[in-house]
């Protein structure tokens, strides 16, 4: 298997405060803009990042502040990757967590985070170890537009 090298990358680490969700969402959209996506494609990225970061903030650190890492990468052929990582409580059963309407949060949580991520991104991979944290890796390929570099 050949590893494709990314053409640009940025990493951000921030505390698991709810106010940082909007920051992460904007940072991801700004970085992805280098690939000249449509507004709809940017909206998809913002929504998926919002869900992944919110999951880390709400579920990984239910009783304390922790850290969240956002890693953004651009690949050849207009592919964008987002990695959201935490070092929190982890996910006991990933299949169950990915099921629509399942939540470990309070009753105001809809339990649709992973379903939303999957609907807006091309791929969503989840790795987790209880007590060690969770890593969500999402990829989306933006359409090449006439006259666009890619």
């Amino acid at each position: 298997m050949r590893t494709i090298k990314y053409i640009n990358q940025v990493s951000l680490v921030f505390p698991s405060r709810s106010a940082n969700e909007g920051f992460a969402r904007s940072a991801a959209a700004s970085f992805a803009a280098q690939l000249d996506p449509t507004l709809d494609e940017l909206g998809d990225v913002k929504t998926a990042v919002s869900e992944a970061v919110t999951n880390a903030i709400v579920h990984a650190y239910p009783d304390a502040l922790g850290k969240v890492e956002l890693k953004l990468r651009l690949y050849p052929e207009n592919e964008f990757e987002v990695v959201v990582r935490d070092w929190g409580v982890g996910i006991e059963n990933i299949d169950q967590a990915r099921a629509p309407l399942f939540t470990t949060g309070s009753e105001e949580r809809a339990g649709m985070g992973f379903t939303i991520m999957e609907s807006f991104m091309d791929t969503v991979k989840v790795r987790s170890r209880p007590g060690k944290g969770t890593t969500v890796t999402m990829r989306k390929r933006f359409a090449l537009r006439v006259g666009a570099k890619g």
Side-chain angles (χ1 to χ4, degrees), residues 20-86:
N20 288 331
E21 175 271 326
F23 166 72
R25 173 185 168 99
S26 296
S30 295
F31 191 75
Q34 296 172 63
L35 296 178
D36 196 27
T38 64
L39 289 177
D40 285 344
E41 289 169 332
L42 274 183
D44 292 352
V45 165
K46 288 166 77 173
T47 300
V49 168
S50 182
E51 292 296 331
V53 170
T54 297
N55 275 359
I57 291 168
V58 170
H59 300 291
Y61 306 106
D63 302 317
L65 278 180
K67 68 179 180 177
V68 177
E69 179 182 42
L70 179 68
K71 192 176 287 185
L72 308 167
R73 291 184 179 128
L74 306 179
Y75 287 90
E77 299 186 31
N78 255 24
E79 192 167 23
F80 178 65
E81 180 182 76
V82 178
V83 178
V84 177
R85 181 178 182 198
D86 66 66

